[in-house]
């Protein structure tokens, strides 16, 4: 499974926001990386702005170019505003749902849990992070994995936010995906129209 192996804090600093999740380096050094990062004032072209927004979305959801294009193609074929549908479909990825439920502290950790067969969907093990969760499905922790330290620590320390499209059951360590979320309910700071404009060229 392909994933980003580069310097995450450096990428987060270039965007000025924690695209990979909480970042202590970014908290201390909230300016672009490099010798002249603090004082750099660089003009960006329209294309550069659009490309940057796409890259940010890819980093946030942990998706590489080929997968991202496939999701975009699905969004374009769907009813509704393409950009908004794109973000909603990315939210339906299994690794993202596991992260939103608080089972994992970051999307990267969620992706690893899914890939290592610790997560079940409707009682069946699913090890494909890009699996698209459907309304009504129940996502939980595999019975023999419930004692894993990374999961228990995440559930204890995570300030689990309440999302209108998710329902968490602490006793069974499982959550229900109630519906595909509306763009207005998704908290990610992404200007999806710029991505649509980029792919429309």
């Amino acid at each position: 499974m392909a994933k980003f192996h580069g310097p995450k804090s450096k990428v987060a600093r270039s965007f000025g926001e924690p695209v990979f999740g909480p970042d202590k380096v970014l908290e201390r050094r909230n300016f672009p990386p490099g010798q002249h990062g603090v004082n750099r004032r660089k003009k960006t072209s329209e294309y550069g702005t659009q490309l940057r927004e796409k890259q940010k979305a890819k980093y946030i959801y942990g998706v590489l170019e080929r997968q991202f294009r496939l999701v975009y193609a699905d969004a374009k074929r769907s009813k509704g505003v393409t950009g908004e549908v794109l973000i909603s479909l990315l939210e339906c990825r299994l690794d993202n749902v596991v992260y939103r439920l608080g089972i994992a502290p970051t999307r990267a950790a969620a992706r690893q849990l899914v890939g290592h067969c610790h997560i079940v969907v409707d009682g069946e093990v699913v090890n494909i992070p890009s699996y698209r969760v459907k309304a009504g499905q129940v996502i939980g922790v595999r019975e023999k994995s419930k004692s894993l330290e990374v999961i228990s620590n995440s559930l204890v320390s995570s300030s689990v936010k309440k999302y209108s499209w998710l329902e968490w059951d602490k006793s069974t360590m499982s959550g229900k995906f109630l519906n595909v979320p509306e763009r207005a309910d998704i908290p990610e700071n992404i200007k999806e129209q710029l991505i649509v404009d980029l792919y429309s060229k």
Side-chain angles (χ1 to χ4, degrees), residues 159-164 166 168:
S159 52
V160 184
K161 296 176 182 175
K162 297 291 182 185
Y163 297 104
S164 60
L166 295 173
W168 176 250

Side-chain angles (χ1 to χ4, degrees), residues 88-121:
S88 293
L89 290 180
L90 288 169
E91 279 291 323
C92 294
R93 285 174 55 95
L94 179 58
D95 55 357
N96 181 75
V97 175
V98 169
Y99 163 70
R100 291 287 192 209
L101 287 170
I103 297 171
T106 63
R107 287 185 179 89
R111 200 152 44 249
Q112 192 171 44
L113 288 177
V114 174
H116 290 175
C117 302
H118 296 302
I119 302 299
V120 294
V121 177

Side-chain angles (χ1 to χ4, degrees), residues 44-56 191 193-201:
T44 310
S45 66
E46 182 184 36
Y47 173 79
T49 303
Q50 294 165 350
L51 181 62
R52 181 180 170 83
E53 206 62 26
K54 183 193 74 169
Q55 295 296 86
K56 182 167 75 171
K191 298 180 181 71
Q193 188 54 46
L194 292 176
I195 301 172
V196 176
D197 293 342
L198 176 68
Y199 279 125
S200 299
K201 289 184 175 178

Side-chain angles (χ1 to χ4, degrees), residues 25-36:
V25 175
L26 181 64
E27 289 172 12
R28 295 196 312 271
R29 311 181 75 185
N30 191 13
F31 53 85
Q35 185 179 358
H36 306 290

Side-chain angles (χ1 to χ4, degrees), residues 14-174:
S14 73
F15 285 107
E17 46 188 289
V19 293
F20 294 106
D23 193 313
K24 292 181 180 177
V25 175
L26 181 64
E27 289 172 12
R28 295 196 312 271
R29 311 181 75 185
N30 191 13
F31 53 85
Q35 185 179 358
H36 306 290
V38 181
N39 301 311
R40 195 183 327 177
R41 293 290 181 271
K42 188 178 176 183
K43 286 187 177 180
T44 310
S45 66
E46 182 184 36
Y47 173 79
T49 303
Q50 294 165 350
L51 181 62
R52 181 180 170 83
E53 206 62 26
K54 183 193 74 169
Q55 295 296 86
K56 182 167 75 171
K58 283 166 57 182
Y59 283 131
I60 287 174
Y61 286 100
V63 180
L64 295 184
E65 183 61 33
R66 184 173 177 276
Q67 278 185 317
F68 196 84
R69 277 184 176 275
L70 291 173
V71 178
Y72 177 80
D74 284 348
K76 196 172 181 181
R77 285 193 296 266
S78 303
K79 291 180 180 178
V81 180
T82 301
E84 295 182 1
V85 175
L86 170 67
I87 303 302
S88 293
L89 290 180
L90 288 169
E91 279 291 323
C92 294
R93 285 174 55 95
L94 179 58
D95 55 357
N96 181 75
V97 175
V98 169
Y99 163 70
R100 291 287 192 209
L101 287 170
I103 297 171
T106 63
R107 287 185 179 89
R111 200 152 44 249
Q112 192 171 44
L113 288 177
V114 174
H116 290 175
C117 302
H118 296 302
I119 302 299
V120 294
V121 177
D122 290 339
E124 298 292 327
V125 173
V126 177
N127 64 351
I128 303 167
S130 61
Y131 175 88
R132 192 171 292 168
V133 182
K134 299 175 184 66
Q137 290 190 309
V138 175
I139 297 86
V141 180
R142 193 178 180 185
E143 196 59 44
K144 60 172 68 173
S145 304
K146 288 184 176 179
S147 58
L148 276 178
E149 192 175 352
V150 65
I151 294 175
S152 53
N153 285 350
S154 179
L155 288 172
V156 168
S157 64
S158 126
S159 52
V160 184
K161 296 176 182 175
K162 297 291 182 185
Y163 297 104
S164 60
W165 64 94
L166 295 173
E167 190 176 78
W168 176 250
D169 186 337
K170 188 177 178 181
S171 61
T172 60
M173 289 179 76
S174 65

